[in-house]
Amino acid sequence: MGRIIFIFSFILLITACHHSSPKDQALLYNADRIMEIYPDSALKLLNGIKTPRQLSSKDYALYSFAMTQALDKALIIVQSDSLIKNAVTYYADGKDPMRAGYSYFYLSRCERNQGNPKGQAESLLKAIPYAIKSNNYKLLGFIYSEKASIYREQNQIDSMIHYNKLSYNSLKRAKDQRNCIVSLIGIGYGYYQLQQFSTALKYYYQAEHEAQDSKDSTLLAPIYKFSSLALFYLKDYTKSSLYAKQGIAIEKQKDPSNWFNLAAIFAKQNKLDSAKIYLSKCISHGYKAPDCYELFEDIFEQERNFQEAIKYAKLTINAKDSTNKAALLTSFAGMEKKYNYERIATENKTLIIANQRNKIAVLFLLLGLSGIIVIVLLWRYRHKQVQLKQHQLLVEKEKENNQLLQQQINMQNALIKNVEHHKKTAIKRLVPNTSSYSTSEEGSVDSMALYDELISSIDGLYNGFSKRLKNKYPLLTTTDILICCLLRAGFESGMIASVLDTQTDSFNVRRARLRKKLEIEHGMNFSDFLADF
């Protein structure tokens, strides 16, 4: 009899857990219906669902999908992938290929926000077959656009152009005019990076033509800006000036770099007074990039005002030093942010499990009317489940710790590349005509070239440190110079050993020998010696 009561109560419990109110279902389906047109209103409706986990598996998958979609459309950055993975698991069977494709697409966005480009690329690759199967060219265009963004971050410009073209063709078939224009701008920007300015201008003109009926400044502003830059390098200063002024008229004071572009045009036309006016506007609105001070320096040299030229030459040097230092700090901050995110994500999983337990406890109290015997039996069942979950949690934490350790090792190996990458990216944003290079995915990076790049980067921050060191100690090897540079920049011994692909003990022996080469007195700290040097 007690077993029958237990089974009946258990069925009642499961039914209560998965029974959703008609109100929640109505909110969910209405949100899904208006998502494309009114995403903000859809988000409000979804937030009105107080107990989404009580929805059926089908409705909960739809809720997970719709909530992630609404947050993305509302430009709210989503890092946690717990919701969208529910949708991925449910729709991956292919019964609804459109939602399956979008689920993988939004999962790629979460991976991107977590700083995981590999996971982002894998999710996009899985989304493509579903997009093709559902004949959803808009989704396919979005996927190709995201892949183009990945290649842009990796400075693989040819691949970036290729996928932007694929995105444009797909979005054209989907009749998505706005995103077609965005793809055209991306194609033009790729050719601009390759310094093929005439080809870039062709795509900018096409984008302008398709956007001529649009009053969206977010479309017209970059078109005018990049058209002006392309014309500038083609030495058509009159037309370049016209586009620059159109960009300024649209954006007003939102982007001071437009004023710098116009100042550069006036400088080429020998209208130095006008150039100085717009350069002063740049600086007064916070645009204090090295190229701004450098242009001021050139103008004053032409005017033979050498005192002012020297003043701005010093400001140029200081601005470049700040840029180099900011690049290194950004790299370290990015690593710290990723480690913090992983720690918080682990803590959040623990909290989610704890919240689930509390909900189950509340349900047990609601079933108290079934009798003391039923409560005792359910408690014993729950106790076994908790033990099983705790065991699983310990296993998962152990796996996560191993993964974190492996990620830390990988991050150490990639640190030097990240420093140079962020430095180039920062300079590219400030100097529009910075040339780019593409790297082969199958190519291997020469270790000595990597050492030279890192030494050069640290030289920029510490006033030619390696050159001064080599001049005083000409017998030092390249590896010796690299170790000194890394120690000067504050790298730990373990990380340096990883960069040199050697054991820590071997590195310590090499470090002791290096102390002798540098004739460092016994008892003096190696890092302090390099800092004073």
Side-chain angles (χ1 to χ4, degrees):
M1 183 64 181
R3 182 175 295 179
I4 294 174
I5 296 174
F6 166 72
I7 294 173
F8 172 76
S9 300
F10 180 74
I11 294 172
L12 183 61
L13 172 64
I14 298 300
T15 303
C17 289
H18 293 284
H19 177 72
S20 57
S21 68
K23 179 182 177 182
D24 286 347
Q25 284 184 323
L27 290 172
L28 175 62
Y29 293 144
N30 284 334
D32 182 56
R33 180 172 53 84
I34 67 173
M35 181 67 69
E36 288 297 327
I37 304 175
Y38 306 109
D40 293 337
S41 299
L43 182 59
K44 290 181 180 179
L45 292 175
L46 292 170
N47 285 329
I49 301 175
K50 301 302 181 184
T51 54
R53 288 190 176 274
Q54 292 186 9
L55 296 167
S56 65
S57 58
K58 176 182 177 181
D59 288 346
Y60 186 59
L62 177 59
Y63 169 83
S64 302
F65 173 82
M67 178 59 81
T68 306
Q69 186 180 31
L71 291 172
D72 184 78
K73 287 180 176 293
L75 303 181
I76 297 174
I77 295 176
V78 180
Q79 289 187 325
S80 175
D81 55 10
S82 57
L83 265 183
I84 195 60
K85 278 188 175 179
N86 292 324
V88 168
T89 302
Y90 184 84
Y91 294 118
D93 60 3
K95 293 180 181 178
D96 190 342
M98 187 273 288
R99 284 204 173 101
Y102 268 109
S103 295
Y104 277 113
F105 174 74
Y106 289 122
L107 178 59
S108 76
R109 289 278 179 92
C110 294
E111 298 286 2
R112 179 196 65 187
N113 296 336
Q114 293 175 16
N116 182 10
K118 181 180 178 181
Q120 180 188 6
E122 289 175 352
S123 297
L124 290 172
L125 190 62
K126 292 176 181 178
I128 291 175
Y130 291 107
I132 295 174
K133 185 177 180 180
S134 64
N135 291 324
N136 194 316
Y137 293 104
K138 184 174 183 178
L139 171 59
L140 197 59
F142 288 165
I143 294 171
Y144 289 144
S145 179
E146 289 289 312
K147 288 181 71 68
S149 298
I150 294 175
Y151 284 117
R152 175 181 175 180
E153 290 295 324
Q154 297 172 349
N155 288 319
Q156 299 186 41
I157 306 302
D158 290 332
S159 297
M160 182 194 83
I161 293 173
H162 171 70
Y163 277 100
N164 269 323
K165 287 181 177 179
L166 290 177
S167 175
Y168 174 77
N169 292 332
S170 297
L171 293 168
K172 196 73 173 176
R173 296 185 69 174
K175 298 180 180 179
D176 187 341
Q177 184 182 15
R178 188 182 191 283
N179 286 301
C180 279
I181 296 169
V182 173
S183 296
L184 287 172
I185 295 173
I187 298 170
Y189 181 75
Y191 284 113
Y192 174 86
Q193 288 293 317
L194 295 175
Q195 296 189 7
Q196 298 179 22
F197 302 117
S198 296
T199 307
L201 201 58
K202 181 184 73 173
Y203 285 98
Y204 292 147
Y205 285 161
Q206 185 179 348
E208 181 184 6
H209 175 72
E210 294 193 16
Q212 61 185 355
D213 296 329
S214 171
K215 296 181 180 179
D216 188 348
S217 62
T218 59
L219 292 176
L220 292 173
I223 293 173
Y224 291 149
K225 179 177 180 178
F226 288 121
S227 296
S228 174
L229 289 171
L231 288 163
F232 176 84
Y233 290 113
L234 291 171
K235 298 183 179 180
D236 189 347
Y237 301 124
T238 301
K239 205 168 182 179
S240 176
S241 174
L242 176 62
Y243 273 100
K245 289 177 181 178
Q246 286 180 307
I248 291 173
I250 290 177
E251 289 201 322
K252 296 183 171 57
Q253 298 180 0
K254 293 180 181 179
D255 187 0
S257 66
N258 285 323
W259 290 330
F260 172 79
N261 295 339
L262 194 56
I265 295 169
F266 282 133
K268 287 291 185 180
Q269 294 175 323
N270 205 30
K271 299 177 181 180
L272 303 184
D273 290 336
S274 298
K276 286 191 289 185
I277 290 173
Y278 282 99
L279 284 175
S280 298
K281 282 187 175 184
C282 290
I283 294 175
S284 65
H285 284 79
Y287 186 77
K288 300 179 180 180
D291 52 0
C292 188
Y293 294 125
E294 199 167 8
L295 184 55
F296 249 134
E297 178 187 350
D298 292 340
I299 291 172
F300 283 117
E301 284 181 357
Q302 291 182 50
E303 294 180 342
R304 305 190 66 79
N305 187 344
F306 297 113
Q307 185 175 358
E308 286 296 312
I310 293 172
K311 169 188 170 183
Y312 281 99
K314 292 179 180 179
L315 290 173
T316 301
I317 294 172
N318 292 336
K320 288 181 177 179
D321 290 342
S322 298
T323 300
N324 292 334
K325 187 173 182 180
L328 285 175
L329 292 176
T330 300
S331 177
F332 287 124
M335 291 179 60
E336 183 178 3
K337 179 180 178 182
K338 182 169 183 178
Y339 284 129
N340 287 337
Y341 170 78
E342 291 167 350
R343 175 180 58 79
I344 293 171
T346 303
E347 294 174 354
N348 286 340
K349 288 181 180 179
T350 305
L351 291 174
I352 290 171
I353 293 173
N355 289 335
Q356 291 175 342
R357 294 175 187 166
N358 292 334
K359 292 177 181 179
I360 294 174
V362 172
L363 290 173
F364 284 167
L365 292 175
L366 294 176
L367 294 173
L369 297 177
S370 300
I372 297 176
I373 297 176
V374 175
I375 293 176
V376 172
L377 292 173
L378 288 176
W379 180 85
R380 292 175 63 182
Y381 172 78
R382 173 179 174 270
H383 184 67
K384 291 180 180 179
Q385 288 295 102
V386 170
Q387 286 181 332
L388 179 61
K389 288 182 179 179
Q390 287 177 340
H391 176 71
Q392 292 175 345
L393 181 61
L394 290 174
V395 173
E396 289 176 359
K397 282 187 176 180
E398 184 177 358
K399 290 181 180 179
E400 288 173 1
N401 289 336
N402 291 335
Q403 290 175 356
L404 287 174
L405 180 61
Q406 186 61 40
Q407 288 176 0
Q408 186 178 10
I409 294 172
N410 293 338
M411 288 291 290
Q412 289 174 352
N413 293 334
L415 179 60
I416 305 305
K417 295 181 181 179
N418 286 341
V419 171
E420 183 65 17
H421 170 72
H422 285 290
K423 176 182 175 183
K424 291 179 179 178
T425 304
I427 295 175
K428 187 185 298 180
R429 288 197 301 267
L430 297 174
V431 185
N433 65 331
T434 300
S435 61
S436 59
Y437 60 91
S438 60
T439 59
S440 172
E441 293 180 345
E442 300 177 357
S444 62
V445 180
D446 184 78
S447 60
M448 293 307 296
L450 178 62
Y451 292 171
D452 291 340
E453 289 180 9
L454 184 57
I455 290 172
S456 176
S457 176
I458 294 176
D459 274 347
L461 186 60
Y462 295 103
N463 195 22
F465 175 76
S466 69
K467 296 177 181 178
R468 292 188 281 108
L469 197 64
K470 186 68 176 178
N471 288 337
K472 186 169 182 179
Y473 302 99
L475 297 180
L476 293 180
T477 66
T478 301
T479 305
D480 293 336
I481 294 293
L482 175 63
I483 292 173
C484 292
C485 287
L486 293 174
L487 289 171
R488 178 65 184 90
F491 285 57
E492 296 180 354
S493 298
M495 187 176 292
I496 300 175
S498 297
V499 172
L500 298 177
D501 194 19
T502 185
Q503 299 293 327
T504 304
D505 293 341
S506 300
F507 168 71
N508 290 335
V509 172
R510 181 178 290 181
R511 176 173 171 162
R513 293 174 179 171
L514 185 55
R515 286 179 62 97
K516 292 181 181 180
K517 287 185 180 181
L518 297 175
E519 301 177 352
I520 301 176
E521 297 179 1
H522 181 72
M524 185 173 186
N525 184 274
F526 199 165
S527 297
D528 291 342
F529 170 80
L530 294 174
D532 293 338
F533 183 83

